[in-house]
Amino acid sequence: MDLTVFAIPAFTLLLVVEWVSYRFAPDDDERGYAVKDTATSLTMGLGSIAAGLGWGLLTVLAWDGLHELTPLRLGHTWWAWVLVIVGVDFFYYWEHRAGHEIRLLWASHVVHHSSRHYNLSTALRQTWTGAHHIVFIGPMLLLGFPLAMVVTSFSINLLYQFWIHTERIDKLWKPIEYVFNTPSHHRVHHGSNRQYLDRNYGGILILWDRLFRSFEPEGEPVNYGLTKNIETYNPLRVAFHEYAAIARDVRAAGTWRVRFGRVLRGPGWQPATEAVEAAAVARAGA
C-alpha cells in the first residue's frame, strides 16, 4: 500500500503549522518560506503524484514479476516486517547515492535539490521520472518479501523523510542523531557547501552513511540548493533541465567515450583534457 497519498492531509497541516511558526517566530538564521519557491515545490509534488500513476504501476508490475521469479517466500511475521523495513532502507541508501554519482539518475534526483529554501514544502519537491526504484528496491522481492510489504515499507521510508526537511528542529539527543536520519543530518545533504556535497544519503537510518563513509555532521551554516542554481520557478524546467543539459553535452562530445561519460559518470565529470584546461584557466584567474 502506498501510504504517501493518504498522508497528503497530514503533510498539508504540518506545512501550514511550520509556515505559521515562521510568521510568528521568525529566525534571521533560517530562510523560511518564499511564495514562488513554495508554489514550485507544491506543483512538483502534485506532478510527481500524477506521474507516479504511470511509473508506480510499472514499478509494481515489475516488482510482482521479480517476486514470481524466486522460490523464496517470507510471511507477514513481525521479524519479517523489521527485516523488510531495514532492507528497503539499505537499498534506498544505494539508490540515493547512485542518484548523486550517476548523472542520468541525478537528472531525476536534482529536482529535489533545486530549492534554495529548506522547509516542509521542499520535501514535496519530487521528480516526475522515478522508474529507477524498480532496479534498486527490486532485490527485496527476490529475497522473498511479499510485494505488499515492500511497497508499504518503501512508503514508510518516504513518509519518515518528510519531517526531516525543516530548519525549525535543532540537533536531537545524541543516541538518536547517531542512529537515525534527522533534520540536522538532512540539512547537510541539501547543502551546496563543498564539505557537504554528496553526504548523508540515508533514508531512515544514518548508520549506512557512517558505515560506508559518506557521513558529515552539521557544522557551518548550510547553503541550500545546487552548486549552479537554475534560477527558475518554471516546473517544466525544474523537472527536465538536467536532461536537456545532458543532451547538449552528448551532442557536443567528440567521442563515444565522452558521450557515455556525460551520461553515466558523475554530474561534474569532465574528460581528462577538459579537466586539465579548466584547472589551467582557474589558476590563471587566481
Side-chain angles (χ1 to χ4, degrees):
M1 179 184 296
D2 186 355
L3 301 176
T4 55
V5 175
F6 296 100
I8 290 176
F11 290 164
T12 304
L13 175 61
L14 291 171
L15 193 151
V16 170
V17 169
E18 186 185 46
W19 179 83
V20 170
S21 77
Y22 278 113
R23 178 68 177 81
F24 292 100
D27 188 322
D28 291 339
D29 294 328
E30 299 174 356
R31 300 211 63 180
Y33 281 78
V35 173
K36 289 184 178 180
D37 179 82
T38 301
T40 300
S41 294
L42 296 179
T43 301
M44 298 309 298
L46 292 173
S48 179
I49 293 173
L53 296 176
W55 292 120
L57 177 61
L58 177 64
T59 300
V60 169
L61 290 174
W63 283 355
D64 187 51
L66 289 174
H67 185 61
E68 294 301 317
L69 289 177
T70 177
L72 301 175
R73 290 293 183 268
L74 297 176
H76 293 75
T77 60
W78 69 267
W79 55 266
W81 274 106
V82 172
L83 288 177
V84 74
I85 290 173
V86 173
V88 164
D89 196 57
F90 172 78
F91 285 110
Y92 174 84
Y93 167 87
W94 289 107
E95 175 187 326
H96 197 177
R97 185 163 181 165
H100 283 251
E101 297 180 352
I102 299 172
R103 191 179 180 193
L104 182 62
L105 300 183
W106 172 245
S108 173
H109 185 58
V110 68
V111 170
H112 186 57
H113 285 263
S114 60
S115 175
R116 300 177 71 176
H117 293 257
Y118 192 74
N119 51 57
L120 293 178
S121 76
T122 308
L124 306 179
R125 184 179 287 225
Q126 295 294 328
T127 181
W128 296 354
T129 56
H132 48 280
H133 299 318
I134 295 173
V135 176
F136 288 93
I137 308 299
M140 294 300 296
L141 281 302
L142 294 175
L143 291 172
F145 291 102
L147 175 63
M149 289 180 67
V150 173
V151 172
T152 302
S153 296
F154 188 62
S155 298
I156 291 171
N157 199 287
L158 297 181
L159 286 173
Y160 178 90
Q161 293 180 60
F162 176 77
W163 75 279
I164 61 178
H165 289 83
T166 184
E167 293 183 283
R168 303 261 82 180
I169 299 176
D170 204 350
K171 292 185 178 181
L172 303 176
W173 187 39
K174 284 186 177 180
I176 294 176
E177 293 282 342
Y178 190 85
V179 175
F180 294 100
N181 197 8
T182 65
S184 176
H185 297 326
H186 206 59
R187 285 193 290 267
V188 166
H189 180 71
H190 276 257
S192 61
N193 315 50
R194 180 177 295 274
Q195 72 271 32
Y196 292 162
L197 293 177
D198 302 329
R199 292 290 182 265
N200 299 2
Y201 298 111
I204 295 175
L205 301 175
I206 203 67
L207 290 175
W208 309 124
D209 289 282
R210 297 184 186 277
L211 179 61
F212 298 112
R213 299 185 178 182
S214 55
F215 175 72
E216 181 70 28
E218 184 179 26
E220 69 175 47
V222 181
N223 297 318
Y224 302 109
L226 306 172
T227 55
K228 294 182 179 179
N229 289 297
I230 57 176
E231 306 297 345
T232 182
Y233 297 105
N234 184 319
L236 289 176
R237 289 186 60 194
V238 172
F240 300 113
H241 73 276
E242 185 63 14
Y243 290 107
I246 291 174
R248 290 193 298 268
D249 288 345
V250 168
R251 283 198 302 269
T255 67
W256 281 104
R257 183 186 72 84
V258 174
R259 291 187 185 102
F260 281 118
R262 293 297 192 192
V263 175
L264 300 176
R265 301 292 289 268
W269 179 82
Q270 291 183 339
T273 53
E274 293 185 19
V276 170
E277 292 174 1
V281 169
R283 287 195 296 272

